[in-house]
Amino acid sequence: MSATDALLSVRGITVRFGGVVALNSISFDVPKGGVCGLIGPNGAGKTTLFNCLSRLYQYQEGDLLFEGKSITNTPVHEIAKLGIGRTFQNLAMFRTMSVERNVMVGAHCRSNAGFLRSALWLPSVRAEEERMREHAREIMDYIGLTPYRNRAVGDLPFGIQKRVELARALASDPKLLLLDEPAAGLNHEELSGLGDTIRDICEKRNTTVLLVEHHMSLVMSVSDHIIAMNFGRKIAEGTPAEIQAHPEVIEAYLGTTAHE
């Protein structure tokens, strides 16, 4: 893959926590467009890598390139503005706030209002607030959250809360969307529509998706490309068919689910 084809390039990232090597010189590219799956058992380093991409963790070696530019020195509060959005394994939302306000939080990285203008509540700030509200409502309609927009997030079922978190990430208009186990805790009905939603986000919203997920049938059905990890290192990379046929992947991750 040429540099111009890669939206994200992971270059020799190594993370150590004391004497534990969480990521061991891992490298791969995520091409523009499509869904890239990132698989591995618990402890493989997937969420650690996501935390590096979000700049929540520092890495001791290597570099991360987004659109060809290093983000190693980019502060965490600038990541969303660059075009990287994220959901989390464990829901991280404002539970007493409404669905609409939670989704609007995701759009604030696109706000041009400074502290003083916001404090004075100038007309330009009010107009921008209204634009963010309209954008949030468009996202809520897209994700199917409009009936819940005035409900407090903490009062909603878990599956709906997961959709709120996804909507909040989409409200930042990301070029790259990091989905950290979006299927966790969902029932069969909720899971059945998740794959369609992920593909739709990619194809209709022009968003590249990097997906961490233990649900192998979901990963295999939605991914164009898959990276397989074990003990902090990459052991395989390729199409879903290539990954399903890879002996080390089958042994380490898939077992009898390889052909499901």
Side-chain angles (χ1 to χ4, degrees):
M1 182 187 303
S2 69
T4 57
D5 292 330
L7 179 64
L8 172 71
S9 293
V10 178
R11 293 284 175 263
I13 293 296
T14 297
V15 175
R16 302 183 187 90
F17 298 115
V20 177
V21 180
L23 292 176
N24 187 1
S25 192
I26 189 166
S27 298
F28 62 87
D29 289 325
V30 177
K32 296 175 183 177
V35 178
C36 181
L38 187 62
I39 66 171
N42 290 328
K46 306 180 300 298
T47 296
T48 297
L49 180 59
F50 264 30
N51 286 338
C52 290
L53 295 173
S54 304
R55 304 306 298 117
L56 298 174
Y57 285 178
Q58 296 294 330
Y59 34 91
Q60 286 73 48
E61 298 174 19
D63 199 3
L64 295 171
L65 306 178
F66 184 68
E67 297 189 306
K69 297 180 181 179
S70 175
I71 62 172
T72 291
N73 296 317
T74 302
V76 63
H77 64 272
E78 295 288 337
I79 290 297
K81 188 176 291 186
L82 282 180
I84 300 176
R86 180 184 176 176
T87 66
F88 291 82
Q89 262 184 294
N90 300 312
L91 292 172
M93 290 180 294
F94 301 98
R95 294 178 58 81
T96 61
M97 285 170 42
S98 71
V99 170
E100 181 173 279
R101 296 301 298 181
N102 268 274
V103 178
M104 287 178 67
V105 167
H108 271 280
C109 69
R110 302 300 174 197
S111 171
N112 295 316
F115 175 78
L116 181 59
R117 288 172 58 203
S118 297
L120 295 174
W121 196 234
L122 297 176
S124 60
V125 175
R126 293 196 294 271
E128 189 167 55
E129 182 88 354
E130 186 57 34
R131 285 195 296 272
M132 286 192 292
R133 180 174 288 105
E134 289 302 315
H135 182 51
R137 289 178 177 177
E138 182 269 322
I139 296 292
M140 287 187 294
D141 185 60
Y142 174 69
I143 297 295
L145 291 170
T146 299
Y148 311 98
R149 69 183 183 91
N150 294 319
R151 297 275 302 276
V153 168
D155 295 337
L156 296 171
F158 183 79
I160 302 298
Q161 291 187 37
K162 296 276 280 191
R163 283 156 60 186
V164 175
E165 188 180 41
L166 176 58
R168 185 181 61 184
L170 288 176
S172 67
D173 293 328
K175 299 173 184 177
L176 174 65
L177 179 60
L178 310 176
L179 296 180
D180 196 351
E181 297 195 29
L186 299 186
N187 60 39
H188 180 74
E189 183 179 355
E190 292 163 338
L191 183 61
S192 66
L194 179 60
D196 291 337
T197 298
I198 292 172
R199 290 303 316 182
D200 197 78
I201 288 169
C202 172
E203 295 165 5
K204 295 185 180 178
R205 302 192 76 88
N206 196 30
T207 302
T208 301
V209 175
L210 181 58
L211 169 68
V212 165
E213 184 53 64
H214 284 292
H215 199 290
M216 287 299 105
S217 63
L218 175 64
V219 175
M220 296 300 168
S221 66
V222 302
S223 298
D224 303 293
H225 191 76
I226 296 176
I227 311 294
M229 295 175 61
N230 196 15
F231 298 112
R233 65 184 182 89
K234 182 180 75 175
I235 62 167
E237 179 176 3
T239 65
E242 291 168 339
I243 293 298
Q244 285 179 307
H246 195 286
E248 193 171 355
V249 173
I250 294 172
E251 180 181 357
Y253 305 127
L254 304 180
T256 59
T257 67
H259 301 292
E260 285 184 1

